[in-house]
Amino acid sequence: MVAPTLLDTPLLYRLRHCERVLIVGAGGGFDLLSGLPIAFALHGQHKAVFLANLTFSPVTRTDAQPVAKGLFEIDADTTGPISYFPEKHLAVWLRDHGYPDQVFLIRKGGPGDIRAAYAWLARELDLDAVVLVDGGTDLLMTGDEAGLGTPVEDITSLLAAHALDLPVKLAVCVGFGVDAYHGLCHAHFLENVAALSKLGAYHGVFALLPGNAATDAWLDAVDWVQQHTPGRESIVCASIIDAARGEYGDHHSLARTRAEGAELFINPLMSMVWGFDLDPVADRVRYRNEIADAKTPFEVAAAIEAFRDQISLRPRRTIPV
């Protein structure tokens, strides 16, 4: 295989021969939106790009079309609870800007349910690549870190993608630092990145910089979805796009963070995209066998807690810079 040069983005270089790519949000909510810059860049190369998200939207209160167990399809015309339906608002933006407005929703469930949904998508869409996107960095937590962030949905999605037999599977994290609110130790994230680098599974970082078509479309799409989700906007997405626009420090673009009185640290690292081969990331999850047979997200959470009670955790540390 010809290696990328310094003029290539190593992560996206991995997708150069792929024609049918699924961009999927790992942790639910707005995670899919953090994958839109890659989606728009691939659209610019005339690839067939499909979008899916592990959803927190109440799909049973919508007219989303069920296509398989726990898997639904929506578009811009789908009706549902307007106060929180980010995928629907995204579909409207996509249609209005000339993109395909099809979005798949994966309902929360146990690992078996999520695996089945991913398998259907890979088969029926005839995929040759999947890009799993986490808004944040807890996707890389293996289980023995001082804090795991919110691992239940992320790791369930990671292991579902791991089970797919596809030529290219990538894991992407966007938003270094945003998980501090959930107790993540970012020194441990960097330690895990270093371990993946030794395995040849780390594909570097690139910045989401305004001024190119893919980034500008992403910024506009996120603004649209946030505006149509009043009071339930994504703090993660707001932090990432604020960082991309050059904001710094205790900057609040959302009324909800100002009302909570939380101190933010918006900075350029939050708008960086970190890329990895997916399978080595999944192989490093130490409790993957413990959650394999869980039937619900609650059982996944309980199994993770039980696993952590039985092992030694890495001591928390600050980054000495």
Side-chain angles (χ1 to χ4, degrees):
M1 182 179 69
V2 178
T5 73
L6 284 176
L7 298 178
D8 299 307
T9 299
L11 176 70
L12 300 184
Y13 186 81
R14 298 274 294 158
L15 298 168
R16 68 196 183 282
H17 297 311
C18 299
E19 297 297 330
R20 301 179 65 82
V21 183
L22 176 69
I23 310 293
V24 55
F30 285 68
D31 269 7
L32 173 60
L33 272 66
S34 294
L36 290 180
I38 296 175
F40 294 141
L42 294 174
H43 274 297
Q45 297 180 344
H46 308 292
K47 311 281 191 181
V49 182
F50 306 94
L51 303 177
N53 198 40
L54 185 72
T55 188
F56 293 156
S57 300
V59 289
T60 57
R61 292 168 49 201
T62 76
D63 62 357
Q65 178 66 35
V67 296
K69 181 181 178 181
L71 183 65
F72 301 80
E73 180 182 345
I74 69 163
D75 59 24
D77 295 321
T78 300
T79 62
I82 299 302
S83 62
Y84 188 83
F85 200 174
E87 298 94 348
K88 148 76 175 186
H89 301 309
L90 172 60
V92 172
W93 186 95
L94 292 169
R95 180 195 61 189
D96 291 350
H97 290 79
Y99 294 99
D101 62 345
Q102 178 190 54
V103 182
F104 291 96
L105 308 185
I106 303 169
R107 188 167 57 192
K108 289 175 61 178
D113 298 326
I114 308 303
R115 276 197 308 273
Y118 272 71
W120 188 96
L121 290 166
R123 181 180 66 252
E124 298 300 323
L125 301 179
D126 193 23
L127 301 176
D128 52 18
V130 62
V131 181
L132 183 71
V133 182
D134 178 28
T137 54
D138 47 2
L139 186 67
L140 254 63
M141 299 299 102
T142 66
D144 66 349
E145 294 83 1
L148 300 187
T150 55
V152 173
E153 292 82 14
D154 288 332
I155 302 303
T156 301
S157 297
L158 174 66
L159 297 180
H162 180 45
L164 297 179
D165 182 15
L166 295 176
V168 177
K169 293 184 286 185
L170 300 174
V172 170
C173 297
V174 189
F176 181 87
V178 299
D179 296 308
Y181 178 79
H182 291 122
L184 195 78
C185 175
H186 286 85
H188 291 160
F189 168 78
L190 294 176
E191 185 178 8
N192 292 346
V193 172
L196 289 163
S197 183
K198 285 184 177 180
L199 297 173
Y202 173 44
H203 297 302
V205 178
F206 65 89
L208 296 173
L209 300 175
N212 69 74
T215 301
D216 289 346
W218 159 69
L219 290 169
D220 193 60
V222 173
D223 283 341
W224 169 270
V225 177
Q226 295 276 60
Q227 290 164 11
H228 287 79
T229 316
R232 299 189 66 183
E233 307 96 334
S234 168
I235 296 173
V236 170
C237 280
S239 298
I240 294 169
I241 66 172
D242 287 345
R245 287 170 167 151
E247 302 297 346
Y248 182 79
D250 194 21
H251 172 83
H252 296 257
S253 60
L254 298 180
R256 60 179 298 194
T257 59
R258 287 194 295 271
E260 291 172 2
E263 182 178 0
L264 302 181
F265 183 53
I266 307 301
N267 67 86
L269 292 176
M270 286 184 173
S271 60
M272 299 291 189
V273 179
W274 304 66
F276 312 88
D277 284 329
L278 186 144
D279 285 341
V281 175
D283 287 338
R284 283 174 44 82
V285 177
R286 296 183 55 186
Y287 52 82
R288 60 188 183 279
N289 293 332
E290 282 78 359
I291 68 172
D293 297 324
K295 303 301 182 186
T296 68
F298 301 103
E299 290 183 11
V300 172
I304 295 173
E305 184 176 351
F307 169 81
R308 285 170 61 80
D309 285 342
Q310 298 171 13
I311 65 168
S312 297
L313 302 181
R314 297 185 224 173
R316 183 175 294 277
R317 62 170 301 186
T318 57
I319 300 174
V321 293

